[in-house]
Structure formats: C-alpha cells, structure tokens
C-alpha cells in the first residue's frame, strides 16, 4: 500500500481541527492565490499560496467553522459556522462585509456564483 505524504505540515495551524478549506484566486491587488482554512477553534486563517505561511486570522464566529467558499471574481469569501451565521468578508483586508443569520439550522455548504 502506498504511503501518503503531505506536501507540507503546519504544526499548530489552528487550535483545533480544520473542517473546511478553500482556495481564493488571485486578484488585481493580490497576484497570488491564498488558502483559507476554517476550524473548530472558531477562526478562518488565510495562508499564502506559495509557501503556506500565515497571512492573517479572521475571527467572529462563536462556534466552529464548517464551510468556506471564495468568490472566483473578487476578493470576497464566506464562512459558515455551527453558530448559525454566515460571514462574508474581504480576504485582503479582513473586513466583514455582511453577517447573515441562518437559523434554525447550521449552513454546511457554501458557494459563490461564478460571476
């Protein structure tokens, strides 16, 4: 049986398990893609796409992050959490654009329209 080897390990990438990941494409102001990871530790972390160094941490959820999506045509991304909120934020500035309440149940999948 073949061994599976990670490309790179990131010790302590989050304080708890990672449940979601998404690639945010390059933009006019950011020429490289970034990796977004969402965790049970209630945060979304942004990692540089070439060497996987931490760029910033986006907080604001009160329970674990279970889904992420990045807009293919802008610097926006969205995260959903067990706290029943969906947060849309700017990947480059970390600013929250809008917070949507999604009760009475959690949102487990997210997607952006391609345009």
């Amino acid at each position: 049986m073949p061994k599976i080897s990670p490309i790179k390990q990131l010790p302590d990438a989050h304080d708890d398990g990672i449940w979601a990941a998404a690639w945010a494409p390059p933009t006019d102001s950011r020429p490289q893609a970034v990796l977004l990871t969402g965790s049970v530790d209630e945060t979304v972390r942004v990692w540089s796409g070439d060497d996987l160094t931490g760029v910033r941490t986006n907080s604001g959820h009160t329970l674990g992050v279970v889904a992420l999506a990045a807009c293919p045509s802008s610097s926006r991304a969205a995260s959903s959490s067990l706290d029943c909120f969906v947060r849309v934020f700017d990947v480059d500035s970390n600013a929250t654009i809008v917070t949507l309440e999604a009760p009475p149940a959690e949102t487990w999948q997210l997607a952006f329209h391609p345009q």
Side-chain angles (χ1 to χ4, degrees), residues 10-109:
L10 298 173
D12 304 318
H14 280 273
D15 294 335
D16 212 327
I18 296 171
W19 282 18
W23 283 100
T27 63
D28 291 338
S29 62
R30 180 181 27 83
Q32 82 178 62
V34 292
L35 176 65
L36 309 173
T37 56
S39 171
V40 180
D41 69 8
E42 305 168 6
T43 65
V44 174
R45 296 212 175 149
V46 180
W47 307 89
S48 68
D50 58 354
D51 61 2
L52 296 180
T53 56
V55 175
R56 69 184 55 83
T57 300
N58 187 300
S59 56
H61 286 292
T62 59
L63 291 172
V65 175
V66 296
L68 288 168
C71 182
S73 60
S74 75
S75 64
R76 293 182 181 185
S79 59
S80 66
S81 166
L82 295 172
D83 63 9
C84 298
F85 287 93
V86 174
R87 297 181 67 245
V88 180
F89 62 96
D90 185 279
V91 173
D92 298 330
S93 71
N94 219 26
T96 298
I97 296 166
V98 67
T99 301
L100 308 167
E101 193 170 3
E106 303 89 12
T107 302
W108 287 84
Q109 292 184 348

